[in-house]
Amino acid sequence: MSDNILKIRDLDVFAGETQVLRDVDLTIHPGEVHILLGPNGSGKSSLLQAIMGVPPFRVTKGDIRLNGRSICDLTPDQRAALGFGMAYQKPPEIDGVTLTALAHVMRADATFATEAAALDMADFAQREVNVGFSGGEIKRWEVLKLFLQNPQFLLFDEPESGVDLEHIAAVGAAIERLARSRTANGAKRAALVITHTGFILDYVKADTAHMMVDGRIIATGDPKEMFEQVKSNGYHAA
Amino acid sequence: MNIQITQSPLSDAEKTTLSKVGYVAESERAATVVIADQEVRHISINDDQVEILPIAEALKKYVWVQELYFGLIDVNEAEEVQHLARSADTPVGHFIRVKAGAKLEQPIQSFCLLETPQVRQVLHNITVIEEGAQASVISGSSVADGVHTGQHTCLCETYLRERARCESLSIEQWAKDVDVMSYDRADVAKSAHCSSNKVMVSPVRNHCSRTSTTVGEDATAKDQSIVFAPQGTTRMMEGEIHLRGERAHAESLTRMVTAGGTIGNNAMLVGEADDTEGFLGCDGLKLTSDGEILSVPALRALSEKSQLSHEASVGMVSEEKLAYLESLGLTEDSANELIVQGFLNLKEQEMPAPVRETVKDMISAAKSGSM
């Protein structure tokens, strides 16, 4: 067994004919929470979606490994089965499918009942997935969804954007609680979190931050220091 | 409780077959009628506010029923209808009457069943919900075990009198070599309300349906149909809604899915009177490169104060939605099935639980080709 959960090496990714990631290297160990900063269009969401295997992103060079196993040839459901889970930034609406029905298909009825209350979503049980949700409701559902899925490696794409102040503490606390908990098999989890505002850092204790610009990771360091640097100097390596 | 049984009691096999299309214990229904092959096999009445008779008896018993017979269906509409209108054979079908002012606590259930291979079933049904009455009707169509051939032709004329309310759910589960032709007409009178849900998801060889609803002053008509066509199934639907009275309102939603079969849907909404409102929604989903969906929603305004609109779409299952569900660990097949079931909007509150499960099973089986 490898001692790192996620290891990305020398990764190039294309969306159609456009290259979106170049020479990305990233290693995340068990129990760690990393954050990813960068301007709009820098490739942050592309990296998360490439890890999850979501179209249209395709790896043309390098490798992504989970617990030592290459996953580049796997479909999203196979990656999910190995332990990946992703909270989307802009998830699609699934008409006619209620949260309850989806939790049932995921065999997570009991977890839904307990965790929905923690995220103030108990009243959403019969709502259709993401249909008519506000920006904040989408983010709360996307976090709740990961509790149902119970993955070992958590990917969060801007989990705090659009969330009102009343709920951001609940979302942050839920992410921290999930990231610091262990899987059903007793394994430590790890997480990669994209954030623009940094609000989430008030609730989630991040270990490392990475700055992404033009599809490359150009700096790695302490999360709070890096955020202060971005606030004063913009997205430039120190 | 006064259960009145006429004709023959149903066999256990018949009850089992019909339970998949909505049949429940007759003590839980206001009334039950079952037509098997070419006879009215069974009638039971549990609520004296409901009257059910074979149509031939109703025509003899009530002079006014003769006025309703071909009162909404034009005998010249089609050669087949002309032939039936001129036939010397005793008509077969049911007459359902909910008496004026009745508020039924339990639904009426009505079924037709093909029990003999290659049988030709020809029915003419009349339903009357009288002034101020409120009723719900669950109807189902099915075939006996082992039967997969036959013909079913049905003429249905439904009258909702002033201030009547009727909610209906219709589930069909024919078989892959059955041909079906249906002519449905409804007259929704002043201030009446009609809400109808139709589930047509099992294989059938050809199903042609022609429906027309006339909506009177201050009346509303809402219908929702879910239609599925696996390989080998052709469904051609022609529907018209006429907003005939002032302030009449109608909403018609059709969700169609083809997994290799052919679906044609011509829907027309006609605004004939002032201050009428209507909406047509016709959405199609194509699961494979085989098959076809032709969706033609049409609006016709005869009054300048009629407000009509429609939405139509036809497409494949969204790759983005599939990936979203797959990233939750669902296989592509499971994700696809969930999207289709969601698209067909099998809402719990609109369908009895056993029927909902049957419908899900029908879709799964039809998609896998095992039906």
Side-chain angles (χ1 to χ4, degrees):
Chain A
M1 174 71 72
S2 165
D3 68 347
N4 50 63
I5 291 186
L6 179 72
K7 189 169 183 65
I8 296 174
R9 186 183 52 79
D10 200 21
L11 191 74
D12 281 5
V13 170
F14 277 71
E17 298 302 314
T18 306
Q19 186 165 5
V20 292
L21 297 176
R22 298 165 197 275
D23 307 323
V24 173
D25 288 299
L26 180 65
T27 299
I28 300 180
H29 296 96
E32 292 182 348
V33 174
H34 289 213
I35 64 167
L36 191 56
L37 309 173
N40 290 333
S42 60
K44 304 184 300 297
S45 295
S46 301
L47 175 61
L48 263 59
Q49 292 181 69
I51 294 170
M52 199 66 237
V54 173
F57 301 98
R58 60 193 168 84
V59 173
T60 57
K61 189 188 80 173
D63 200 8
I64 306 170
R65 289 180 175 267
L66 181 72
N67 292 325
R69 177 175 174 177
S70 176
I71 60 161
C72 290
D73 293 333
L74 301 183
T75 57
D77 60 308
Q78 291 169 328
R79 297 180 196 211
L82 279 182
F84 280 109
M86 182 165 79
Y88 281 55
Q89 183 188 7
K90 293 176 183 170
E93 296 179 350
I94 311 293
D95 301 296
V97 178
T98 62
L99 304 194
T100 303
L102 184 53
H104 184 67
V105 172
M106 295 170 73
R107 299 179 182 176
D109 309 69
T111 309
F112 180 82
T114 53
E115 297 298 341
L119 283 159
D120 198 16
M121 296 207 83
D123 292 342
F124 284 65
Q126 294 307 316
R127 293 279 297 273
E128 296 170 17
V129 177
N130 297 320
V131 177
F133 283 17
S134 69
E137 289 164 352
I138 285 175
K139 296 304 164 69
R140 281 150 59 200
W141 159 245
E142 288 296 305
V143 173
L144 173 56
K145 187 188 79 174
L146 290 183
F147 276 93
L148 309 184
Q149 191 178 348
N150 194 28
Q152 188 188 4
F153 196 93
L154 306 157
L155 300 161
F156 293 96
D157 195 345
E158 296 193 33
E160 82 273 49
S161 68
V163 181
D164 56 48
L165 290 174
E166 186 186 352
H167 288 105
I168 197 161
V171 169
I175 293 173
E176 174 72 7
R177 183 159 55 90
L178 183 60
R180 301 304 175 190
S181 67
R182 293 185 179 241
T183 67
N185 298 329
K188 283 185 177 177
R189 298 184 211 269
L192 179 57
V193 184
I194 295 176
T195 178
H196 261 301
T197 64
F199 290 159
I200 205 76
L201 294 175
D202 292 340
Y203 309 95
V204 177
K205 187 176 175 306
D207 301 284
T208 304
H210 309 276
M211 188 186 296
M212 178 166 267
V213 176
D214 291 336
R216 288 188 168 91
I217 290 179
I218 62 166
T220 294
D222 177 78
K224 296 223 171 183
E225 285 177 13
M226 187 173 288
F227 228 90
E228 289 306 314
Q229 181 199 323
V230 168
K231 279 199 266 186
S232 53
N233 300 326
Y235 293 103
H236 302 287
Chain B
M1 196 73 71
N2 175 29
I3 297 184
Q4 170 198 346
I5 305 281
T6 61
Q7 324 299 322
S8 321
L10 294 178
S11 68
D12 288 344
E14 287 170 330
K15 288 178 182 176
T16 301
T17 298
L18 295 177
S19 67
K20 295 171 188 166
V21 288
Y23 177 87
V24 299
E26 292 172 34
S27 59
E28 296 173 24
R29 292 291 180 250
T32 299
V33 56
V34 178
I35 300 176
D37 289 347
Q38 201 56 14
E39 67 168 340
V40 180
R41 174 70 51 83
H42 177 80
I43 295 173
S44 71
I45 307 291
N46 212 17
D47 185 329
D48 60 11
Q49 299 178 103
V50 181
E51 183 177 26
I52 299 183
L53 295 168
I55 189 66
E57 285 184 33
L59 286 164
K60 287 180 194 166
K61 183 173 178 180
Y62 298 116
V63 173
W64 52 270
V65 174
Q66 294 174 37
E67 305 298 321
L68 308 184
Y69 196 74
F70 285 109
L72 299 176
I73 295 176
D74 182 351
V75 294
N76 295 314
E77 174 171 329
E79 196 174 324
E80 182 180 33
V81 177
Q82 270 183 354
H83 176 74
L84 292 172
R86 290 172 185 164
S87 168
D89 295 341
T90 303
V92 176
H94 66 235
F95 166 74
I96 296 176
R97 173 189 174 208
V98 179
K99 295 176 185 173
K103 305 281 187 286
L104 300 189
E105 293 178 359
Q106 295 173 317
I108 296 166
Q109 58 181 357
S110 156
F111 302 97
C112 45
L113 181 61
L114 297 185
E115 290 193 311
T116 308
Q118 297 289 0
V119 73
R120 180 165 188 248
Q121 184 178 61
V122 181
L123 309 179
H124 194 146
N125 297 327
I126 290 182
T127 300
V128 183
I129 314 294
E130 294 185 342
E131 287 84 357
Q134 294 182 9
S136 67
V137 180
I138 295 172
S139 57
S141 310
S142 192
V143 293
D145 267 358
V147 174
H148 61 84
T149 58
Q151 291 177 57
H152 168 87
T153 299
C154 190
L155 284 64
C156 291
E157 298 179 281
T158 301
Y159 297 84
L160 266 70
R161 301 306 196 192
E162 287 191 15
R163 293 173 287 100
R165 295 180 69 87
C166 183
E167 294 180 358
S168 68
L169 170 64
S170 160
I171 306 122
E172 70 162 51
Q173 190 178 20
W174 298 113
K176 67 182 180 66
D177 294 321
V178 171
D179 294 313
V180 177
M181 183 74 217
S182 59
Y183 303 85
D184 286 325
R185 298 289 182 275
D187 180 53
V188 184
K190 181 180 177 181
S191 300
H193 174 79
C194 173
S195 171
S196 131
N197 287 292
K198 293 180 183 172
V199 180
M200 297 176 279
V201 297
S202 66
V204 65
R205 185 161 58 197
N206 288 295
H207 185 172
C208 296
S209 70
R210 292 183 181 178
T211 63
S212 180
T213 301
T214 303
V215 189
E217 184 182 329
D218 290 315
T220 57
K222 293 186 177 181
D223 71 83
Q224 177 176 293
S225 300
I226 59 174
V227 181
F228 188 78
Q231 189 90 37
T233 289
T234 297
R235 296 185 186 277
M236 304 305 292
M237 302 174 288
E238 291 179 19
E240 290 182 6
I241 299 172
H242 296 265
L243 300 169
R244 190 152 291 170
E246 289 185 2
R247 296 173 300 283
H249 179 90
E251 186 178 292
S252 177
L253 305 173
T254 305
R255 294 283 178 102
M256 303 163 282
V257 176
T258 172
T262 299
I263 300 173
N265 179 36
N266 286 279
M268 178 179 283
L269 188 57
V270 187
E272 299 181 11
D274 288 354
D275 301 318
T276 50
E277 281 185 324
F279 174 77
L280 284 179
C282 307
D283 294 313
L285 198 56
K286 205 165 174 301
L287 299 184
T288 68
S289 56
D290 296 329
E292 177 181 338
I293 295 177
L294 174 65
S295 182
V296 187
L299 306 176
R300 184 174 175 221
L302 301 178
S303 161
E304 77 276 21
K305 291 183 180 175
S306 185
Q307 201 161 19
L308 311 176
S309 62
H310 73 73
E311 288 179 6
S313 69
V314 177
M316 302 285 280
V317 171
S318 151
E319 192 179 51
E320 184 191 16
K321 291 180 183 180
L322 272 179
Y324 179 75
L325 294 175
E326 287 180 51
S327 69
L328 287 170
L330 275 63
T331 63
E332 185 178 353
D333 281 351
S334 298
N336 218 345
E337 193 161 311
L338 196 62
I339 290 169
V340 171
Q341 285 176 352
F343 176 79
L344 292 176
N345 213 12
L346 308 177
K347 287 185 180 170
E348 294 183 13
Q349 61 270 32
E350 291 173 1
M351 200 174 291
V355 175
R356 191 174 65 250
E357 292 308 313
T358 301
V359 170
K360 286 182 181 175
D361 291 346
M362 284 182 198
I363 293 170
S364 299
K367 280 176 62 189
S368 68
S370 61
M371 286 184 81

